[in-house]
Amino acid sequence: MEIKKKDIRALTKEQLRNFFEENGDKAFRGNQVYEWLWQKSAHSFEDMTNISLKTRQMLEDSFVINHIRVNQMQRSEDGTIKNAVRLHDDLIVESVLIPTATRTTACVSSQVGCSLDCKFCATARLKRMRNLNPDEIYDQVVAIDNESRLYHDRPLSNIVFMGMGEPLMNYNNVLKAIDKITSDEGLGMSPKRIVVSTSGVPKMIKKMADDGVKFKLAVSLHSAIDEVRTSIMPFNATFPLASLRDALEYWYAKTKNRITYEYVVWDGINDKRKDVDALVEFCKFAPSKVNLIEYNPIDDGIFQQANSKAIDMYVDILEKNNITVTVRRSRGKDIDAACGQLANKT
Ligand code: SAH
């Protein structure tokens, strides 16, 4: 019977050091291999040229490196790049590079599919298959960093967890990936340049606050009226707005970090004065910013972006209430790379 080899990147540095000691080598060898695995993103043991052949063979016999592979890359006319990423078990997730004049942002996935059922999101049509491992999240970032250097002559500057999946339902692995991304032994990026976007899982928002995380939080709100929110994001029935707000108050009290809300205004769904008033009321407890994002159609026949008069009303009333508001245009729509369009169509 063939013994299933272990994914070497599931080991901590300490465990790797122990492995070498137990096998009659120096613990220091563990540091070298660790550097190859993370900082240098080696795809195979063969690449580890300062490690002896014999040791490489020993690693080969015991472990695998489950590196992701960019299966297909699509480039939009606006410079956006979408990667279809193949995982070691042949499942596919997507990640996106979004270039602007001043920054390059990676939008990465945290799960294969999604267990939530937001009616306006293409990913919701794929059921959740599994969580991504920390190294699979890390690899997406490295792939986009490389593409950013290649096509835009600069390194990646920001990361948003707004791809497929609900990051707070894969919290431990997302946290481990961010640890690697921000560590000097990984990419050394500042956590302030990372945004984790959630549909709002109250218990996990409180846990994040307790863990003292340094990255930023965005909440996909879309409505501050329970009845409306439940109709478009059914899991709001389990985690109603009062519990979300309670968790966010806790988050703010602990972190003093401003909260960003993602919000799409749809025709006939949340485009009335009462919807804006409810949003203002909801935001009151902490400094907030509202990103009004453009709706990216997913051929559902129900949702339609509200007209500009409704958007202007939102901007006007939010500003009068001292709530920062931005109107975001979508990017990469021609290649189905925009928010909510990731569904492995290819
Ligand atoms: N599950 C997380 C992250 C993935 S969704 C979350 O809900 O935040 C990333 C963002 O895209 C969310 O704000 C989501 O509400 C938004 N979104 C989903 N479908 C969309 C669509 N069709 N058009 C525009 N935004 C969409």
Side-chain angles (χ1 to χ4, degrees):
M1 196 183 81
E2 198 188 338
I3 300 166
K4 203 164 177 285
K5 293 183 196 172
K6 242 182 123 158
D7 174 7
I8 191 165
R9 287 190 300 170
L11 267 56
T12 61
K13 192 170 173 183
E14 217 34 58
Q15 289 168 328
L16 207 52
R17 287 168 57 89
N18 289 341
F19 170 83
F20 281 103
E21 271 191 327
E22 282 158 15
N23 284 281
D25 202 332
K26 295 193 180 68
F28 170 72
R29 201 75 60 221
N31 299 24
Q32 287 179 312
V33 171
Y34 195 82
E35 190 178 321
W36 275 110
L37 291 173
W38 295 104
Q39 233 169 343
K40 298 182 188 160
S41 259
H43 285 219
S44 77
F45 297 113
E46 248 187 304
D47 294 345
M48 304 182 178
T49 43
N50 63 349
I51 310 289
S52 77
L53 259 176
K54 199 170 137 240
T55 306
R56 279 188 256 162
Q57 190 56 51
M58 175 177 78
L59 290 171
E60 192 82 55
D61 293 341
S62 316
F63 300 107
V64 286
I65 304 176
N66 282 334
H67 220 282
I68 64 158
R69 254 184 318 220
V70 177
N71 207 40
Q72 190 193 25
M73 191 194 93
Q74 285 172 279
R75 293 180 72 187
S76 157
E77 52 201 24
D78 66 19
T80 303
I81 292 177
K82 180 167 82 170
N83 292 329
V85 164
R86 186 178 291 279
L87 309 173
H88 68 91
D89 51 5
D90 283 342
L91 291 170
I92 305 264
V93 292
E94 293 176 332
S95 34
V96 183
L97 175 160
I98 308 152
T100 66
T102 52
R103 49 167 81 173
T104 314
T105 302
C107 174
V108 298
S109 294
S110 55
Q111 299 181 309
V112 187
C114 190
S115 57
L116 301 182
D117 43 9
C118 304
K119 300 291 181 205
F120 45 83
C121 180
T123 307
R125 293 176 182 172
L126 314 166
K127 63 176 196 305
R128 190 195 77 93
M129 312 278 287
R130 70 168 172 88
N131 286 336
L132 292 187
N133 295 325
D135 48 275
E136 292 169 327
I137 297 170
Y138 182 84
D139 287 352
Q140 292 177 64
V141 174
V142 172
I144 290 187
D145 184 37
N146 290 337
E147 288 169 349
S148 180
R149 289 166 198 270
L150 185 64
Y151 297 105
H152 298 281
D153 270 333
R154 58 190 185 199
L156 182 67
S157 62
N158 296 72
I159 302 173
V160 294
F161 281 80
M162 294 189 188
M164 295 174 156
E166 169 50 51
L168 295 196
M169 292 193 168
N170 184 18
Y171 180 72
N172 287 337
N173 290 352
V174 166
L175 216 61
K176 280 187 194 160
I178 292 177
D179 275 349
K180 283 273 162 22
I181 292 164
T182 53
S183 133
D184 285 337
E185 293 178 330
L187 297 177
M189 272 183 80
S190 163
K192 294 199 184 81
R193 293 176 168 274
I194 301 176
V195 177
V196 169
S197 175
T198 177
S199 294
V201 188
K203 200 173 81 185
M204 300 315 294
I205 292 172
K206 286 188 175 170
K207 176 143 181 36
M208 275 170 62
D210 287 339
D211 287 346
V213 300
K214 297 283 186 296
F215 50 79
K216 294 184 181 164
L217 175 66
V219 177
S220 303
L221 194 62
H222 302 305
S223 173
I225 300 173
D226 267 316
E227 201 190 342
V228 178
R229 195 167 191 259
T230 300
S231 73
I232 56 178
M233 304 171 77
F235 92 105
N236 185 70
T238 318
F239 304 120
L241 287 163
S243 64
L244 175 57
R245 185 174 153 148
D246 173 61
L248 292 172
E249 275 187 51
Y250 187 87
W251 160 268
Y252 183 70
K254 281 227 158 169
T255 66
K256 292 284 174 280
N257 272 341
R258 177 169 83 166
I259 300 158
T260 298
Y261 297 103
E262 315 282 330
Y263 203 103
V264 179
V265 188
W266 288 286
D267 194 29
I269 291 177
N270 57 357
D271 57 350
K272 301 288 182 303
R273 174 71 199 232
K274 68 171 182 9
D275 298 295
V276 198
D277 289 344
L279 176 59
V280 169
E281 193 54 40
F282 188 90
C283 289
K284 265 188 184 151
F285 68 92
S288 313
K289 177 181 172 195
V290 174
N291 280 337
L292 295 176
I293 52 183
E294 202 181 341
Y295 176 56
N296 304 305
I298 57 160
D299 308 325
D300 55 73
I302 304 167
F303 292 93
Q304 237 174 7
Q305 165 89 26
N307 61 30
S308 56
K309 249 174 81 187
I311 307 284
D312 291 346
M313 173 182 68
Y314 263 91
V315 172
D316 185 45
I317 297 173
L318 289 170
E319 280 179 346
K320 281 196 179 116
N321 283 279
N322 296 319
I323 298 166
T324 310
V325 54
T326 59
V327 181
R328 282 267 188 82
R329 281 199 54 79
S330 278
R331 322 238 327 166
K333 271 208 249 192
D334 54 328
I335 54 168
D336 281 331
C339 279
Q341 291 188 315
L342 303 183
N344 294 344
K345 267 201 205 167
T346 45

